[in-house]
Amino acid sequence: MKNVGFIGWRGMVGSILIQRMLKKKDFDNINAIFFTTSQYGKSTSNFNIKNKHKKLENAYDFKKLFELDIIITCQGSKYTDKVYFKLRKIGWNGYWIDASSNLRTLNDSVIVLDPINLKYIQQKLNMGVKTFVGGNCTVSLMLMALGGLFKNNLIDWLYVSTYQAASGAGAKFMKELILQIQYISKNIPNLAYNSSYNILDIEQKISKQMYSSSFPKNYFHIPLINNLIPWIDKKMNNNGQTKEEWKGQFETNKILNTNKIIPIDGVCVRIATLRSHSQSFTIKLNKNLSIDNLTQIINSHNKWVKIIPNNFDDTINFLTPAFVSGKLDIVVGRIKKINIDKNCFSIFSVGDQLLWGASEPLRRMLKLLI
Ligand code: HSE
């Protein structure tokens, strides 16, 4: 059995990875060793995983790491930067599977999303590639939703507006969004129930509260509740894109291993949702397809795509983050031709940022290796 080291398994993405692995009985076929950056030496007896080592190991113990066949880390970019290059330098030749973004740009890394690029992954495995990285969440969710169009080489270009949940920024941000909700509801008690209050007065009170000095905004810097933030990640030195927007074209083309770059751009926006990411695509196809034809191509690509009929009831019930959170479904709806060009469609899609957007591609990569 392969020795597999788990790092960052207690965080949000890591714990969902473990939950999914338990559900799919993936631990039955590996020798699991759990690492920690802070609590090594402690016992692992409080969790119920077969074939695991009894003690937590030090995630910076290079001797211990060197003994592993596979490392899977959800610890974040800082850990990867500190450990990955040094470990490779001292001759470790195992498989490194990473949830963080830093290694995605390496020439000899593969961004993994096997329902999209299984053949490419296998080709690279045969060539001896040992570094596999999960993609950016919106990129992975977009490819899962529109895989059929990419597979059939139908896309000329794609423009996306995202509606990204707090989970994409991390657990602390999710907590802060909840604190912001609490702050508003505590400080504006029951006003909405009181018919003597004018709605505009209540709105004014809330707006005032949002800018009070005690409002919880350590991480977002501003209130996300009753608001949105049309900026994610740092500024790139190109045409005004943020890094999140830049990843759209770079990572998609790397995952697809395209010969000719498919142009992709968009605006990435953080909204006051806890967990799942939504995206609105404008797509220029190189063919004039009917809506039925296009829907069929999208629907038949993978079993997780669920087409939501373009009507009010289905859309409000199923094409939402609230419906998708905790599920592997990739819901795709609002499919329509746009007035501007007969080859242009608009499509709306939602997927769970923590599942297909983060942990599931890593779990499946590990499964491929074992
Ligand atoms: N960068 C994404 C976000 C996380 O901020 O939502 C998914 O990779």
Side-chain angles (χ1 to χ4, degrees):
M1 270 200 287
K2 293 242 186 332
N3 290 325
V4 182
F6 289 81
I7 296 146
W9 49 277
R10 256 189 283 239
M12 220 168 25
V13 174
S15 52
I16 288 185
L17 172 79
I18 301 294
Q19 275 170 26
R20 286 281 302 150
M21 287 187 65
L22 285 168
K23 187 161 179 218
K24 302 296 270 183
K25 303 201 184 323
D26 295 333
F27 284 106
D28 292 3
N29 308 312
I30 60 171
N31 189 18
I33 301 135
F34 288 84
F35 287 75
T36 165
T37 52
S38 53
Q39 297 183 311
Y40 36 93
K42 289 207 171 151
S43 157
T44 58
S45 57
N46 53 342
F47 52 96
N48 184 21
I49 294 173
K50 259 195 198 172
N51 302 327
K52 67 174 189 310
H53 278 218
K54 291 190 177 52
K55 156 169 108 71
L56 288 176
E57 300 291 351
N58 179 357
Y60 293 103
D61 181 340
F62 282 79
K63 218 172 134 226
K64 278 271 176 292
L65 294 171
F66 202 89
E67 290 163 8
L68 299 168
D69 301 300
I70 301 170
I71 291 174
I72 182 159
T73 170
C74 303
Q75 183 74 30
S77 288
K78 275 190 199 143
Y79 176 80
T80 297
D81 281 350
K82 275 192 198 149
V83 173
Y84 174 82
F85 296 99
K86 186 167 166 195
L87 198 57
R88 287 286 189 229
K89 208 169 167 192
I90 59 174
W92 182 72
N93 201 24
Y95 293 98
W96 180 279
I97 305 176
D98 202 325
S100 70
S101 64
N102 276 13
L103 304 181
R104 289 181 200 147
T105 48
L106 292 186
N107 280 338
D108 57 354
S109 73
V110 174
I111 304 180
V112 291
L113 188 63
D114 68 276
I116 301 293
N117 67 349
L118 177 62
K119 270 197 194 144
Y120 184 58
I121 294 171
Q122 280 166 338
Q123 195 185 321
K124 288 291 182 177
L125 274 171
N126 293 338
M127 287 164 71
V129 168
K130 298 276 172 87
T131 304
F132 297 91
V133 194
N136 170 263
C137 45
T138 49
V139 171
S140 297
L141 295 171
M142 184 256 291
L143 283 166
M144 290 299 290
L146 307 178
L149 303 181
F150 284 103
K151 192 175 173 191
N152 289 287
N153 298 316
L154 287 167
I155 297 181
D156 257 4
W157 54 255
L158 185 149
Y159 188 86
V160 55
S161 301
T162 71
Y163 307 78
Q164 296 181 225
S167 59
K172 290 174 187 157
F173 290 80
M174 284 174 90
K175 277 196 191 142
E176 187 165 273
L177 176 57
I178 297 166
L179 290 176
Q180 293 187 352
I181 296 169
Q182 268 177 353
Y183 188 94
I184 298 279
S185 62
K186 240 195 236 152
N187 287 283
I188 314 285
N190 293 329
L191 288 187
Y193 290 110
N194 187 336
S195 55
S196 61
Y197 267 102
N198 181 300
I199 187 62
L200 293 178
D201 292 339
I202 300 176
E203 185 274 322
Q204 280 300 301
K205 275 187 196 297
I206 291 175
S207 295
K208 226 168 145 188
Q209 289 294 340
M210 284 165 66
Y211 287 92
S212 94
S213 58
S214 56
F215 194 86
K217 52 177 178 348
N218 288 339
Y219 296 105
F220 284 118
H221 305 299
I222 60 153
L224 181 63
I225 189 73
N226 194 28
N227 207 3
L228 58 75
I229 306 174
W231 188 283
I232 297 179
D233 212 336
K234 60 185 184 205
K235 190 173 195 297
M236 297 297 284
N237 290 326
N238 57 3
N239 57 358
Q241 283 179 317
T242 64
K243 190 157 187 203
E244 189 78 354
E245 290 152 5
W246 172 84
K247 286 174 181 175
Q249 176 170 307
F250 172 78
E251 291 193 18
T252 302
N253 284 281
K254 178 158 177 168
I255 290 170
L256 295 169
N257 188 31
T258 47
N259 293 324
K260 187 170 166 267
I261 297 291
I262 303 170
I264 296 175
D265 205 341
V267 174
C268 290
V269 182
R270 185 79 64 204
I271 60 160
T273 294
L274 282 174
R275 179 159 172 175
S276 291
H277 284 6
S278 311
Q279 306 188 65
S280 172
F281 307 108
T282 303
I283 306 162
K284 168 93 188 245
L285 299 184
N286 49 30
K287 257 193 201 148
N288 181 5
L289 291 183
S290 69
I291 290 193
D292 284 352
N293 206 339
L294 176 110
T295 304
Q296 200 267 330
I297 292 170
I298 291 176
N299 195 30
S300 59
H301 178 265
N302 67 68
K303 66 178 184 194
W304 297 278
V305 164
K306 302 281 176 305
I307 300 290
I308 308 302
N310 189 17
N311 63 54
F312 175 73
D313 281 339
D314 286 312
T315 299
I316 66 164
N317 283 304
F318 306 120
L319 194 59
T320 62
F323 175 73
V324 164
S325 289
K327 300 187 181 77
L328 286 161
D329 293 355
I330 304 287
V331 290
V332 179
R334 299 306 328 274
I335 302 177
K336 59 192 174 94
K337 282 205 180 207
I338 62 173
N339 285 335
I340 303 159
D341 181 322
K342 67 179 181 349
N343 286 6
C344 280
F345 281 86
S346 81
I347 297 177
F348 197 89
S349 176
V350 192
D352 189 316
Q353 183 266 326
L354 296 171
L355 286 165
W356 275 119
S359 59
E360 192 63 6
L362 305 183
R363 184 189 74 79
R364 293 169 66 93
M365 184 62 220
L366 177 61
K367 233 182 142 179
L368 264 180
L369 294 176
I370 57 181

